[in-house]
Amino acid sequence: MNKSLKTPTCALTAVVPVLGERANLDRLLPDVKQALDALGVTWEVVVVNASPSDGFEAAAAAHGARYFRETDGGYGAAVTRGVFEAEGEYVLTMDPDAAEVESAVRALWNGREGYDVVVASRYVDGAQVDQPRLRNFLSRAINRFFSKVLSTPVKDLSTGFRLYRKEVFRHIEVETASLAFLLETLLKCFGNGILTVEVPFHYRLHEYRLAQAHGLKLGLECFRGLFRLWRMRNSVKCADYDIRAFDSRIFLQRYWQRTRYNIIMGFAEGDAFTLDAGCGSGRIIADLPNAVGVDIRHDKLRFMRRLNSRLAQANGLKLPFPDETFDCVISSEVIEHIPEEDGRFIDELTRVLKPGGTLVLSTPDYGTWTWPLIEWLYYKVAPNAYAHEHVTHYSLKSLGEALEARGYEIQGHGYICRSDLVYKARKRA
């Protein structure tokens, strides 16, 4: 699908998945058209039939909508097919159980500025919800559970009212064809650094019986795939992994991240013009007011742009800056990922640092007995994490010698659990 997205010919495509009866479609499409007309933009409606019943093509044609049949799955397959066929720059997805759509469409379209995904939420300030108390309680409880377990800031994970910039689907590939598509899509957006926001709207049910059935089905499908979704969300491949580790529920991970952060920030030069080479999605680049961040992963930079807009994608062995640009250069937990037989990465950091400037480097200390043991345990517990990427092994002695050989004066070092090393050095004039 990623290579086959259509070139936009209009501003907005509304994708209407057919999951119920024809009468529901006849009721919904006039409301959709009226809501889209009120926006004052060019639009189209795409109807995708994901039900086993026929007879919807005539209803779609009667209301001026394009029609497609998708028999390979449920809600997720229908929305995916709709995205594939959409000719709009933005794709609006619908909740077929809603009694009216104007509030959601207006809220989504008005909330798109600066974001790639907009979620019409029932559970943020300003929202109105008209549904039975029991359903409201269960829906809130399920959404709160998944939001907590999967570490997502979105409060309404199960709403079908969403606005996507269509380009989003070049960066994510959703595997789920069922209603769990709603949850997996958001998780993969977070994992790729795609900016997402919730906006309030007025939600009112059309038919409680159908909505209740869909809600229960969604909950069961999400619970069945919970472990897979949890692993995906907590993978190092997620763009926000680094910044979430700072507030991790796992004490040791949180302690490690915060201790390293405190040492590095203590060694850094505060308001000095600083480069964070290999910034990732960590707190350092977010909290230094006068810093520029560089990383090779575009998804992490895309995520971090809301916290620091001075970012560049580049290879650490060829930084896109003139000689002697920065007063301070920081590189945290990067050097062990780069083949460093000849010290080219340190040479490049040295090139862009001004004489008299400060270099702060952190890396595991392979000269201790503690770090190799920790790394071995780390690999056993999380085989898909960073441990297998460590290809260059420095120690306190070898890294100190490498810095001194390049004209640095060692000013101090710090440790996390006598395993993770942070060096501070000054570049001699």
Side-chain angles (χ1 to χ4, degrees):
M1 184 186 74
N2 294 355
K3 295 181 180 179
S4 304
L5 293 176
K6 294 185 176 181
T7 302
T9 60
C10 61
L12 178 61
T13 297
V15 175
V16 180
V18 175
L19 302 172
E21 302 169 352
R22 170 169 174 164
N24 204 32
L25 188 63
D26 286 328
R27 173 196 61 81
L28 185 62
L29 287 179
D31 291 345
V32 172
K33 292 171 64 178
Q34 183 177 343
L36 296 176
D37 276 335
L39 299 180
V41 300
T42 55
W43 55 266
E44 65 166 351
V45 177
V46 170
V47 173
V48 182
N49 180 11
S51 77
S53 304
D54 292 317
F56 296 100
E57 186 171 5
H63 295 286
R66 293 197 292 138
Y67 174 86
F68 300 94
R69 181 72 185 271
E70 181 60 55
T71 58
D72 292 337
Y75 179 88
V79 173
T80 300
R81 177 67 182 274
V83 170
F84 177 85
E85 301 293 349
E87 295 183 354
E89 180 184 357
Y90 289 88
V91 174
L92 173 73
T93 61
M94 317 296 295
D95 185 342
D97 299 322
E100 53 93 10
V101 299
E102 183 178 357
S103 169
V105 171
R106 183 174 63 252
L108 289 168
W109 188 252
N110 292 340
R112 74 191 186 284
E113 193 65 35
Y115 295 94
D116 303 304
V117 179
V118 189
V119 177
S121 175
R122 295 163 288 179
Y123 308 127
V124 295
D125 291 342
Q128 291 180 271
V129 181
D130 295 334
Q131 60 183 2
R133 288 184 179 180
L134 178 59
R135 171 178 164 79
N136 189 44
F137 171 78
L138 291 174
S139 178
R140 283 179 179 271
I142 291 173
N143 274 282
R144 190 173 298 170
F145 171 81
F146 281 105
S147 179
K148 193 76 172 176
V149 170
L150 299 172
S151 303
T152 61
V154 172
K155 295 180 180 180
D156 194 346
L157 297 166
S158 60
T159 177
F161 282 115
R162 296 178 184 177
L163 183 73
Y164 301 91
R165 190 185 300 274
K166 191 168 63 176
E167 284 296 307
V168 162
F169 291 91
R170 295 194 189 278
H171 305 289
I172 67 172
E173 186 171 350
V174 184
E175 303 168 20
T176 305
S178 66
L179 281 166
F181 169 93
L182 292 166
L183 185 53
E184 184 175 336
T185 303
L186 282 184
L187 293 184
K188 290 198 171 177
C189 285
F190 286 123
N192 282 273
I194 294 166
L195 296 185
T196 303
V197 67
E198 282 184 286
V199 295
F201 80 117
H202 183 190
Y203 179 75
R204 184 163 58 89
L205 283 172
H206 170 64
E207 188 174 344
Y208 172 62
R209 177 181 57 82
L210 289 176
Q212 184 183 42
H214 291 159
L216 291 172
K217 187 176 180 181
L218 171 62
L220 290 173
E221 288 170 352
C222 289
F223 274 112
R224 279 198 293 266
L226 181 59
F227 181 66
R228 180 181 68 86
L229 295 173
W230 181 87
R231 289 191 64 183
M232 178 177 68
R233 182 69 182 117
N234 290 280
S235 166
V236 295
K237 295 179 181 179
C238 274
D240 62 346
Y241 176 87
D242 304 324
I243 204 164
R244 285 197 301 113
F246 191 83
D247 297 311
S248 173
R249 298 188 189 95
I250 302 171
F251 168 76
L252 183 59
Q253 185 181 40
R254 185 173 69 250
Y255 166 80
W256 205 283
Q257 293 287 332
R258 294 187 176 195
T259 303
R260 184 193 298 128
Y261 170 88
N262 290 333
I263 295 172
I264 291 174
M265 295 297 276
F267 284 168
E269 297 297 324
D271 292 335
F273 190 36
T274 301
L275 170 67
D276 187 350
C279 63
S281 59
R283 286 229 61 92
I284 293 171
I285 187 61
D287 293 344
L288 284 175
N290 199 24
V292 176
V294 169
D295 202 274
I296 199 168
R297 282 184 56 176
H298 186 265
D299 57 340
K300 293 199 173 194
L301 299 176
R302 186 166 52 224
F303 170 79
M304 290 302 292
R305 63 185 172 177
R306 65 190 178 90
L307 301 175
N308 187 331
S309 61
R310 304 204 302 185
L311 303 167
Q313 184 181 19
N315 189 318
L317 298 177
K318 193 174 182 180
L319 296 171
F321 306 107
D323 295 353
E324 301 178 359
T325 298
F326 297 96
D327 301 303
C328 178
V329 171
I330 298 170
S331 183
S332 175
E333 304 302 292
V334 175
I335 197 168
E336 66 272 15
H337 298 271
I338 301 175
E340 270 289 278
E341 294 85 358
D342 53 2
R344 290 178 298 154
F345 181 56
I346 299 178
D347 290 337
E348 190 65 359
L349 299 181
T350 303
R351 180 185 67 79
V352 300
L353 182 62
K354 292 178 180 178
T358 297
L359 175 66
V360 182
L361 271 179
S362 81
T363 187
D365 185 349
Y366 283 88
T368 66
W369 66 268
T370 49
W371 175 256
L373 175 61
I374 290 172
E375 184 177 69
W376 181 81
L377 292 171
Y378 184 35
Y379 181 76
K380 292 295 183 183
V381 172
N384 295 319
Y386 287 130
H388 70 286
E389 298 179 5
H390 295 177
V391 295
T392 297
H393 299 171
Y394 277 106
S395 66
L396 177 69
K397 182 172 185 273
S398 64
L399 185 55
E401 290 173 347
L403 294 174
E404 289 175 339
R406 288 162 175 80
Y408 283 95
E409 175 188 343
I410 305 299
Q411 295 189 311
H413 70 271
Y415 266 118
I416 304 101
C417 295
R418 295 295 301 173
S419 301
D420 212 351
L421 169 66
V422 184
Y423 252 123
K424 178 181 180 180
R426 183 178 67 84
K427 181 180 176 181
R428 292 192 180 94

